[in-house]
Amino acid sequence: MKFNDKKVVIFDLDGTLINSTPDLALAVNYMLESIGSKTFDESIIDGWVGNGASILVQRALSGGVTIDNSLSSDLIEEALDIFLKFYGENLSVKTTLYPNVLDTLKLLNSKGYSLAIVTNKPFSFIEPILKSLEMFELFDYFIGGDSLVDKKPSPLPLLHVCERLNVTIKESIMVGDSKNDILAGQACSMDTIGVTYGYNYGEDIESYSPSVVIDDFGDIRELL
């Protein structure tokens, strides 16, 4: 398949462009230790990533993907504050780009595509991470999970990007690793590319029927 009508490529961040699990796991376990709870292996925390900081913290407090409804709001608030402070000071200690990300983004940029990021990660963390990985200048626009009144899988962030960059849905495409990315695109009839290597809670991204599924980020070069 070849997409010939696109002007804007919208990317998810965690699990699509960057492997941030090592730093997220450090922050989660620091938070858990601080409140006297047991910590978890990075491989387990990996399965909790993708719905924003608050959900990640609540999953950690619950010890699994399913959130314990008996968690007190005070505990959640305390834990989230600890997590955000620590993570904010350790955003790119072990975080890395996935293979072929930087070269592919540079190529798309040189071809005249506008590049954007729609992530459920808090907005304040995006710029420092992009700068530390030397790709900040490649993006025209980015928003976080706290930038608007709703986040993925709502289509609102994607519609907002289209409006901001003055393009139609048909002229845009969403690239992501999780069902939230694919569902957000489908909710506004935007084409989607699903990557198989990221965070999708142990589910096969293909089961959510993205327009195209790729195993390597570099494959995008053949699609656009």
Side-chain angles (χ1 to χ4, degrees):
M1 178 180 288
K2 187 85 171 178
F3 296 101
N4 298 312
D5 53 354
K6 306 307 178 189
K7 296 181 178 179
V8 170
V9 189
I10 306 172
F11 298 96
D12 175 50
L13 185 57
D14 300 75
T16 301
L17 301 180
I18 63 172
N19 178 12
S20 53
T21 294
D23 288 327
L24 289 169
L26 285 174
V28 164
N29 281 331
Y30 176 84
M31 175 273 292
L32 291 170
E33 286 179 349
S34 298
I35 63 172
S37 294
K38 71 170 185 175
T39 59
F40 296 91
D41 289 340
E42 181 181 309
S43 60
I44 294 175
I45 296 171
D46 179 83
W48 301 342
V49 175
N51 293 98
S54 179
I55 298 298
L56 174 58
V57 165
Q58 291 179 63
R59 285 171 171 161
L61 294 173
S62 304
V65 173
T66 303
I67 293 171
D68 182 352
N69 292 326
S70 69
L71 292 173
S72 73
S73 58
D74 287 345
L75 176 59
I76 294 171
E77 183 177 355
E78 176 191 3
L80 183 59
D81 285 345
I82 294 170
F83 169 83
L84 290 174
K85 185 175 187 302
F86 183 90
Y87 184 55
E89 296 171 351
N90 299 275
L91 289 169
S92 297
V93 177
K94 296 183 177 181
T95 292
T96 57
L97 292 173
Y98 284 109
N100 298 316
V101 166
L102 191 57
D103 287 348
T104 301
L105 292 177
K106 287 180 177 178
L107 178 63
L108 294 176
N109 183 263
S110 71
K111 285 185 172 182
Y113 289 99
S114 293
L115 308 182
I117 289 175
V118 172
T119 174
N120 284 344
K121 191 182 218 70
F123 177 80
S124 63
F125 296 155
I126 304 172
E127 183 173 337
I129 290 174
L130 295 182
K131 286 184 174 178
S132 73
L133 296 171
E134 300 181 346
M135 58 178 180
F136 175 74
E137 301 297 333
L138 296 173
F139 290 94
D140 296 275
Y141 190 59
F142 53 82
I143 57 175
D146 53 356
S147 296
L148 305 172
V149 296
D150 213 348
K151 61 186 178 183
K152 300 176 301 184
S154 166
L156 178 64
L158 304 188
L159 295 171
H160 174 80
V161 169
C162 289
E163 181 179 359
R164 182 64 180 256
L165 297 181
N166 194 31
V167 293
T168 66
I169 292 169
K170 184 174 174 57
E171 292 170 330
S172 309
I173 190 165
M174 176 73 209
V175 182
D177 64 300
S178 86
K179 61 183 179 182
N180 294 323
D181 306 308
I182 308 308
L183 293 174
Q186 291 170 343
C188 61
S189 300
M190 183 181 292
D191 284 322
T192 57
I193 297 174
V195 304
T196 59
Y197 53 76
Y199 319 133
N200 194 35
Y201 324 109
E203 297 180 289
D204 184 349
I205 193 68
E206 195 161 4
S207 66
Y208 289 91
S209 302
S211 307
V212 179
V213 176
I214 59 174
D215 297 319
D216 186 305
F217 192 86
D219 293 342
I220 292 172
R221 291 174 287 199
E222 306 301 320
L223 299 173
L224 294 170

